[in-house]
Amino acid sequence: MAGRINDDDVKAVRDAVPIDAVVSEYLQLRNAGGGNLKGLCPFHDEKSPSFQVSPSKGLYHCFGCQAGGDTLDFIMKIDHLSFSEAVERLAGQAGITLRYEEGGYTAGTSGRGERIRLVEAHKAAAQFYVDQLDSPEAEIGRKFLAERGFDQTAAAHFSVGYSPAGWDHLTRFLRGKGFSDKELITSGLAQDSRSGKPIDRFRGRLMWPIRDITGEVVGFGARKLREDDNGPKYLNTPETAIYKKSQVLYGIDLAKKEIAKTSRAVVVEGYTDVMACHMAGVTTAIATCGTAFGGDHIKILRRLLMDNATAEVIFTFDGDAAGQKAALRAFEDDQKFAAETSIAITPGGMDPCDLRLAQGDAAVASLVETRTPLFEFALRHIVSRHNLENPAGRAAALDEAAPVVAHIKNIAIQHESAVQLAGMLGIRDEAFVVKRVAQLARWARDRGNQQPPQQGRGGAGRPSHDAAPAPAERPAGGPALNLRSPAHRTERELLKLALQRPALVSPAFDAYGMDEFTAPPYAAVRQAILDAGGASLGTEDYLAKVREAAPNDTVRALVTELAVEAIHAKTVDEIYAGVQLVQVRLRAVDRRVNEIQGTLSRLGPQAPPEQLAAVQEELWVLQQYGRRLRNRGAEGL
């Protein structure tokens, strides 16, 4: 096994890969002011962005869930990697060869984390399948693609490949690349045979690589081509350490930039549908991988759409019964989006791939543009099941449809939909339907089944994304901070300056004692700065040293939070820094003055003269010092 990674190499990896470039692979980031970027936190659900990244400091922090750290911490947390695995992944991206303390340089196979090895195996397999698509045996696969309107360029764009029909072509290839049989079985690329030897899982099939949002191949979708293949039409990679079908979206690696740019995502049903949409210019198309669209898929899209007021998710389904059922299932998750959801029903039961073949690229683009709001589709489906020719049928339809409208969080859309529902039902008294919907909405809110309307989706009532996140009042697992306390607010500002702009508060800050910080968490951060060498240290890795000096994860998280949080001043200069230094010191002086005055009261006039004189002298010195600070400001420190 390779040993501990050389510290200099770890630092080189941290410095080589900018944190904003890494985080941007997973979520959309926007300007947050002060050189910071913001986005929706990938570690907890939120409606407005409280996740901030500081490229200049190489740190991130979420003011909602308190997650924070540097580039390696982010990779470890989001992809569930060990420290070594995170370093190895980023080193591979940066082209850095790592040295290990035991055994010198490693060839890159021993001591590698399991996830890294599985990803490497899939990357090698993807290229193997692509190369095989040019073989004579793969003629049937090339014909399949051509019949669906995909030429060689389209196949190359999506890295479509072919798995040979033999038992162990890929297995033998990957063994030659240094992968063990155990790794091949664990990856899902091979499976045990009756003889006990591993054989290829995919044989004689057209292969689509399934990539995660960062572009790494984590699995495959395999399409049956021959009649003598007794397997299912589509065979996907089984659940593995790197592949969870409920957490991947096919095409997300190609579509993510356009999704973030246009605030629109188009959800289709299959691999060829994604290809058809992209070839037709709808480059925001994605698909699930053999499972229904669910909560984890929503989380991926929300981080890209960033829940802005114009965000939209468009589902495309066939017009048959199965397609309608899928659309209604998608509607059940509608309110989990802070985006408008729509449905585009393909004509004649054709999927986007068939539609492109029959009517061309323009028809696919037109399909997306002629969408219908998903809640309107659901209402029409409900209403269609009732006989509207008599009052009883209309009442039954209203009873079933009104709760659906009441569930819409946006008050304006809810009202318009209630009016629309009255028209669908043929009820002339629109006010009656509107009142009924409003009653149901209030009933749901009172029972906690729905967020208050002002926190709803798109348009009116959406929280502002430009509002600065409120700093947490309690570090994870730590004592409470009273941010209404002027003392705590000033101490926080001073610590932010000491971490973010140390030159502005040095060398004065390094003379401040721990007892000058009244909040214990802030005193712990002050101690960490001292243990790291002080604010006067001035080295490039100053923040990293402070984080390393923190005694536990709680203090370390607070250091990260303070290093990322914006300083509350339009102009951050020596004058502002001096004010914070003076206020923290002056409050400490005043506290000590009050303590001494209390001591004098307790001693009384009968105390020994020497003791009284010493206490009175200290009081006089402190009072003079306090007066100087009030009169001269930072010059009096």
Side-chain angles (χ1 to χ4, degrees):
M1 294 290 289
R4 180 173 177 270
I5 301 173
N6 181 278
D7 288 342
D8 290 339
D9 291 348
V10 173
K11 183 179 183 302
V13 169
R14 279 195 175 104
D15 295 342
V17 186
I19 191 169
D20 51 322
V22 173
V23 174
S24 293
E25 291 292 323
Y26 297 84
L27 59 138
Q28 183 187 175
L29 293 174
R30 292 178 178 168
N31 183 27
N36 285 359
L37 303 168
K38 65 181 178 181
L40 290 176
C41 180
F43 305 123
H44 81 288
D45 286 334
E46 60 179 5
K47 296 255 182 194
S48 56
S50 58
F51 181 93
Q52 294 212 7
V53 175
S54 174
S56 64
K57 303 176 188 68
L59 296 173
Y60 76 93
H61 182 79
C62 175
F63 292 91
C65 70
Q66 306 305 304
D70 61 15
T71 313
L72 293 173
D73 294 318
F74 180 82
I75 289 293
M76 288 166 63
K77 187 173 179 65
I78 198 165
D79 282 329
H80 309 288
L81 302 180
S82 68
F83 177 79
S84 296
E85 288 174 328
V87 175
E88 287 165 348
R89 175 192 282 193
L90 293 181
Q93 293 180 12
I96 295 173
T97 302
L98 298 175
R99 293 168 293 175
Y100 294 77
E101 298 296 348
E102 300 172 19
Y105 284 84
T106 178
T109 56
S110 62
R112 304 298 298 275
E114 180 187 65
R115 191 183 193 284
I116 299 292
R117 292 290 290 165
L118 297 188
V119 169
E120 289 176 344
H122 276 79
K123 181 179 180 181
Q127 187 58 53
F128 173 81
Y129 292 141
V130 167
D131 294 341
Q132 295 301 309
L133 188 61
D134 291 331
S135 67
E137 182 189 330
E139 171 62 28
I140 188 173
R142 297 193 295 272
K143 181 180 179 182
F144 176 94
L145 291 171
E147 288 174 347
R148 283 153 182 79
F150 303 122
D151 57 17
Q152 192 173 9
T153 300
H157 182 68
F158 289 90
S159 301
V160 181
Y162 176 79
S163 55
W167 291 103
D168 60 354
H169 288 282
L170 177 67
T171 298
R172 287 187 283 111
F173 172 78
L174 291 179
R175 279 178 183 155
K177 293 286 187 180
F179 293 95
S180 67
D181 288 354
K182 180 181 178 182
E183 288 174 327
L184 299 184
I185 297 292
T186 303
S187 69
L189 294 170
Q191 59 189 11
D192 286 319
S193 65
R194 293 177 182 176
S195 66
K197 295 181 179 179
I199 58 173
D200 295 350
R201 178 176 296 275
F202 306 109
R203 302 184 300 276
R205 288 179 171 246
L206 204 58
M207 304 296 296
W208 279 269
I210 300 170
R211 303 178 190 272
D212 64 16
I213 197 169
T214 69
E216 289 184 333
V217 181
V218 294
F220 289 94
R223 193 354 172 128
K224 180 168 71 172
L225 296 171
R226 295 176 172 83
E227 292 298 327
D228 59 355
D229 186 338
N230 296 321
K233 182 178 178 180
Y234 278 96
L235 179 65
N236 280 6
T237 294
E239 298 276 308
T240 69
I242 63 173
Y243 179 77
K244 303 284 189 295
K245 63 183 180 182
S246 65
Q247 298 175 9
V248 292
L249 287 166
Y250 178 72
I252 192 68
D253 57 307
L254 298 174
K256 64 181 180 181
K257 289 185 178 179
E258 196 65 18
I259 289 174
K261 179 181 177 181
T262 62
S263 293
R264 174 191 284 186
V266 177
V267 181
V268 297
E269 293 191 274
Y271 306 126
T272 56
D273 293 333
V274 172
M275 293 179 69
C277 286
H278 280 249
M279 293 298 102
V282 183
T283 54
T284 58
I286 51 174
T288 59
C289 300
T291 186
F293 193 88
D296 288 332
H297 300 127
I298 291 173
K299 291 178 182 178
I300 295 171
L301 285 185
R302 286 186 61 191
R303 295 199 296 265
L304 294 175
L305 294 169
M306 201 134 140
D307 291 353
N308 65 51
T310 60
E312 183 178 18
V313 178
I314 303 169
F315 294 91
T316 66
F317 294 107
D318 297 347
D320 57 15
Q324 291 197 13
K325 185 177 180 181
L328 292 173
R329 189 167 56 240
F331 178 69
E332 293 175 3
D333 286 327
D334 174 68
Q335 296 296 300
K336 293 181 181 177
F337 288 100
E340 299 303 325
T341 52
S342 304
I343 181 171
I345 299 293
T346 54
M350 292 186 291
D351 57 32
C353 183
D354 293 334
L355 182 63
R356 178 171 177 261
L357 274 176
Q359 301 180 25
D361 291 346
V364 177
S366 177
L367 169 69
V368 174
E369 296 304 324
T370 55
R371 60 204 179 274
T372 300
L374 192 53
F375 65 82
E376 180 181 330
F377 172 84
L379 287 181
R380 293 192 182 281
H381 179 80
I382 291 171
V383 170
S384 69
R385 298 202 300 265
H386 297 273
N387 181 4
L388 303 182
E389 297 301 320
N390 59 70
R394 291 194 293 272
L398 177 61
D399 286 343
E400 187 177 354
V404 173
V405 179
H407 191 63
I408 297 172
K409 297 176 183 177
N410 184 298
I411 293 296
I413 296 177
Q414 184 189 99
H415 177 85
E416 290 179 8
S417 300
V419 173
Q420 189 176 8
L421 175 60
M424 290 182 190
L425 297 174
I427 297 176
R428 295 181 180 178
D429 188 357
E430 295 176 351
F432 171 77
V433 178
V434 170
K435 183 178 179 181
R436 176 70 182 278
V437 167
Q439 288 173 337
L440 289 170
R442 284 195 298 271
W443 182 86
R445 287 197 303 273
D446 291 343
R447 283 151 182 78
N449 295 327
Q450 182 175 332
Q451 293 294 326
Q454 64 269 24
Q455 297 176 3
R457 50 182 272 199
R462 181 188 299 275
S464 170
H465 293 155
D466 296 322
E473 293 197 5
R474 182 186 299 274
L481 298 171
N482 180 9
L483 297 187
R484 295 181 179 86
S485 160
H488 285 192
R489 288 202 302 269
T490 307
E491 291 167 20
R492 189 179 187 91
E493 281 296 285
L494 182 54
L495 288 173
K496 286 192 291 185
L497 287 164
L499 292 168
Q500 299 180 33
R501 304 287 293 274
L504 290 180
V505 296
S506 298
F509 178 84
D510 288 335
Y512 279 48
M514 258 52 69
D515 59 346
E516 297 193 58
F517 293 85
T518 58
Y522 294 160
V525 172
R526 170 66 190 100
Q527 182 67 56
I529 294 173
L530 177 64
D531 293 343
S536 302
L537 193 62
T539 58
E540 289 184 4
D541 57 351
Y542 163 64
L543 275 176
K545 287 183 179 297
V546 176
R547 295 183 72 247
E548 290 172 4
N552 53 51
D553 289 342
T554 300
V555 177
R556 189 172 299 108
L558 183 55
V559 169
T560 305
E561 179 179 335
L562 296 173
V564 172
E565 184 181 312
I567 296 171
H568 295 156
K570 291 184 178 180
T571 303
V572 182
D573 54 15
E574 291 182 355
I575 296 175
Y576 182 76
V579 170
Q580 311 314 308
L581 285 164
V582 168
Q583 287 185 358
V584 169
R585 173 60 58 80
L586 191 55
R587 286 195 177 100
V589 169
D590 289 344
R591 286 194 300 273
R592 182 57 184 157
V593 166
N594 289 334
E595 290 174 4
I596 294 174
Q597 289 174 336
T599 300
L600 284 173
S601 297
R602 288 192 299 274
L603 288 174
Q606 305 303 320
E610 300 83 1
Q611 186 178 6
L612 276 175
V615 174
Q616 288 172 339
E617 182 178 0
E618 182 182 359
L619 176 61
W620 182 83
V621 170
L622 285 171
Q623 288 173 332
Q624 292 300 310
Y625 184 40
R627 192 172 292 112
R628 186 167 77 247
L629 289 175
R630 288 184 172 87
N631 292 335
R632 299 177 58 188
E635 293 181 3
L637 286 171

